Amino acid sequence: MIDKLEYFIALARERHFARAAEELGISQPTLSAAIRQLEDHLGVMLVVRGSRYQGLTPEGQRVLEWARRIVGDTRTMREEMRAARKGLSGHIRLAAIPTTLAMVPRITAPFQEKHPDVTFSIVSTTSIKILGLLENLEIDAGLTYLENEPLGRVTSVPLLHEHYCLVTARGTPFADRQTVTWQEAGGVRLCLLTADMQNRRIINRHFAEAGVSVEPSLEANSMIVLFSHVRTGRWASIMPRNVAKSFGFPDEISIVSLVDPEPHHTVGLVATHREPFTPLVSALLHEARVLAEKGID
């Protein structure tokens, strides 16, 4: 039954029988047979069928909620028993918005020092996708904004307040200033994160509050790409101060505080709320709380 529920979750996520079967490492007929067996066992149709996958029935949507809960609880049980036998081990899947990537080692390094048998995989993506990945049990935790947009039912640990700055090369306009207004920053050639990123939506909102409409001449979904272009002297960017400082080129780059307005936005670690947490997620949340108490520069 657990395997069939895992298959059903994968099908709902991929919305395509062949892609789901490939992800699961089974044949498409095996997947189709498992879904039909699950339907027979529950006595309801779960999938709207035609020449191709057409979505879930209302009953299928409800079963999907239960499947995520049951599979999540099963994984928690297995992890607890493994931890009881061998100590904390396993793999943590973490997703992060681009502006939080610089702080990831502040969590993973002390965590792995305490638990050397735990490995990590880390991907960079949007805040919206992080919530979807959590819901579909594809990641264990995420680093994202904790305000501005709905998070759903998650447990969160605030880690840092982002303060925004104009990041520009030495010798360019505003490079020698202590502060620059959002209205002034709107007049320079900018490179910014892509529009699907919450950071970009926040920046757009603050420019609008300053009465400025900005069209960047370059967009990317990577802070490294943005910073590399800033170093050429042809672009400036808007970044959280801690992100800009993490690149470590003080002689080449000026970091100028943005004012009028002077907003800050909270980022932190999120995990799907459940009791109990898996041992790995529980330990990760603990490490995040330790970091929060110390503070992040």
Side-chain angles (χ1 to χ4, degrees):
M1 175 62 74
I2 298 299
D3 287 344
K4 293 181 178 64
L5 292 177
E6 293 258 22
Y7 294 174
F8 182 57
I9 292 171
L11 177 61
R13 180 170 61 244
E14 295 297 329
R15 301 180 62 82
H16 192 279
F17 274 92
R19 287 198 300 267
E22 182 178 2
E23 180 198 324
L24 293 164
I26 61 176
S27 68
Q28 186 172 334
T30 299
L31 174 60
S32 298
I35 299 301
R36 288 193 182 278
Q37 289 167 11
L38 185 60
E39 290 175 325
D40 291 342
H41 183 81
L42 297 174
V44 294
M45 294 293 293
L46 303 177
V47 179
V48 180
R49 288 181 175 81
S51 57
R52 62 184 65 184
Y53 177 91
Q54 296 180 8
L56 301 181
T57 65
E59 294 82 3
Q61 291 287 353
R62 185 67 181 131
V63 169
L64 180 61
E65 295 176 17
W66 278 104
R68 287 168 173 161
R69 189 181 311 175
I70 292 167
V71 169
D73 287 345
T74 301
R75 291 179 182 178
T76 301
M77 179 184 66
R78 288 171 177 165
E79 280 195 23
E80 282 197 4
M81 295 306 99
R82 184 174 66 236
R85 295 193 313 271
K86 303 179 180 179
L88 201 63
S89 62
H91 186 74
I92 294 178
R93 302 159 301 167
L94 189 64
I97 57 173
T99 60
T100 65
L101 289 172
M103 75 168 69
V104 172
R106 302 286 297 274
I107 298 174
T108 55
F111 186 99
Q112 202 162 54
E113 185 175 350
K114 296 173 185 174
H115 310 291
D117 293 329
V118 176
T119 58
F120 286 88
S121 59
I122 300 159
V123 296
S124 175
T125 188
T126 68
S127 57
I128 292 174
K129 287 184 178 178
I130 286 174
L131 298 182
L133 292 170
L134 281 172
E135 185 178 48
N136 286 321
L137 308 178
E138 294 179 86
I139 59 172
D140 301 294
L143 282 161
T144 186
Y145 290 101
L146 303 186
E147 50 197 27
N148 307 304
E149 297 177 0
L151 286 174
R153 193 166 180 266
V154 300
T155 295
S156 62
V157 180
L159 293 174
L160 174 72
H161 296 299
E162 286 188 344
H163 295 272
Y164 293 96
C165 301
L166 179 72
V167 184
T168 188
R170 299 283 187 185
T172 58
F174 307 124
D176 295 327
R177 296 262 295 268
Q178 294 297 313
T179 63
V180 61
T181 67
W182 285 83
Q183 188 173 45
E184 289 173 321
V188 302
R189 184 196 297 264
L190 289 172
C191 56
L192 299 173
L193 287 175
T194 50
D196 59 336
M197 296 290 178
Q198 189 173 166
N199 171 267
R200 175 64 181 283
R201 295 193 290 275
I202 290 171
I203 287 172
N204 286 350
R205 184 169 76 245
H206 293 315
F207 272 125
E209 291 168 355
V212 182
S213 178
V214 171
E215 291 293 335
S217 62
L218 186 146
E219 297 177 320
N221 63 0
S222 162
M223 301 303 290
I224 293 176
V225 171
L226 297 184
F227 193 83
S228 297
H229 282 81
V230 169
R231 290 183 67 198
T232 69
R234 293 183 56 83
W235 287 269
S237 188
I238 308 292
M239 296 183 184
R241 178 176 290 276
N242 68 298
V243 174
K245 288 171 61 178
S246 72
F247 289 105
F249 292 93
D251 296 331
E252 300 178 40
I253 300 296
S254 291
I255 302 173
V256 186
S257 296
L258 277 160
V259 296
D260 298 330
E262 297 181 62
H264 64 80
H265 298 277
T266 306
V267 296
L269 186 76
V270 296
T272 302
H273 182 77
R274 64 168 58 251
E275 291 292 342
F277 289 106
T278 68
L280 288 174
V281 170
S282 181
L284 187 67
L285 289 168
H286 172 75
E287 199 63 51
R289 293 185 183 107
V290 170
L291 178 60
E293 290 176 3
K294 293 178 180 177
I296 301 178
D297 298 328

